Amino acid sequence: MKKQHIQLNETERTELHALLKTKELPSRLFKRATAILALDQGGTFESVAELVDVTNDTVRAWLKRYEKEGIAGLRDKLRSGRPLKFDGTQRAQITALACSEEPEGYSDWNYRLLADKVVELGFCESISHTQVGTILKKTN
């Protein structure tokens, strides 16, 4: 006899089906909801893992998170990351400066010259020439 891994009630099933009908659903969330519904229908970890193209351990982890947190457990958690050092205004000021007239004695702006001028004008306390290059590279 096959082990039933999860027994969803009608409300949970309805919520998962409604979630799957959402138009802008991330593929990860779609896979997770599909896996939980397949487990509810009596699928084994192996068959469900093959269905959604992941490992058995991944399906087990999804099930554990679903049992603990419900549908919220299927969504990705927010990830911390390093905050941006320069906000949009500062980036715009640096880009505008790079597009402005070059200083006297130079044929064009270079990153080191821009970095020095940005600090001189007070756009920020300090900035390296490589950071200037990265900002300008992203604004192409």
Side-chain angles (χ1 to χ4, degrees):
M1 186 169 137
K2 245 192 307 188
K3 179 183 177 192
Q4 183 78 21
H5 294 290
I6 188 170
Q7 189 72 38
L8 298 175
N9 61 38
E10 197 56 42
T11 307
E12 292 171 326
R13 254 186 232 107
T14 306
E15 286 177 350
L16 286 171
H17 282 295
L19 182 66
L20 289 175
K21 290 180 182 177
T22 306
K23 290 186 182 215
E24 302 258 340
L25 188 68
S27 62
R28 289 177 175 179
L29 187 54
F30 180 84
K31 279 183 170 186
R32 293 168 186 166
T34 302
I36 298 300
L37 285 171
L39 287 172
D40 177 54
Q41 294 171 353
T44 63
F45 285 126
E46 292 79 18
S47 65
V48 172
E50 191 174 313
L51 172 72
V52 293
D53 196 30
V54 294
T55 65
N56 298 347
D57 291 335
T58 302
V59 175
R60 282 187 181 89
W62 290 345
L63 177 61
K64 188 182 282 187
R65 278 180 42 194
Y66 180 78
E67 288 174 336
K68 196 177 199 181
E69 304 173 35
I71 287 183
L74 299 180
R75 298 186 188 281
D76 284 331
K77 304 262 189 284
L78 291 178
R79 297 178 183 194
S80 64
R82 192 180 87 214
L84 292 175
K85 189 169 181 181
F86 304 103
D87 62 14
T89 305
Q90 290 170 319
R91 290 172 183 272
Q93 289 172 329
I94 292 168
T95 304
L97 181 62
C99 295
S100 69
E101 195 68 30
E102 63 275 343
E104 201 169 307
Y106 292 90
S107 61
D108 206 359
W109 285 103
N110 63 44
Y111 295 156
R112 290 180 194 276
L113 195 58
L114 277 168
D116 292 340
K117 192 67 171 178
V118 164
V119 173
E120 181 184 317
L121 292 174
F123 296 161
C124 59
E125 288 183 26
S126 67
I127 186 169
S128 72
H129 66 281
T130 56
Q131 288 171 319
V132 169
T134 303
I135 290 170
L136 295 177
K137 178 178 158 187
K138 290 184 179 181
T139 58
N140 271 346

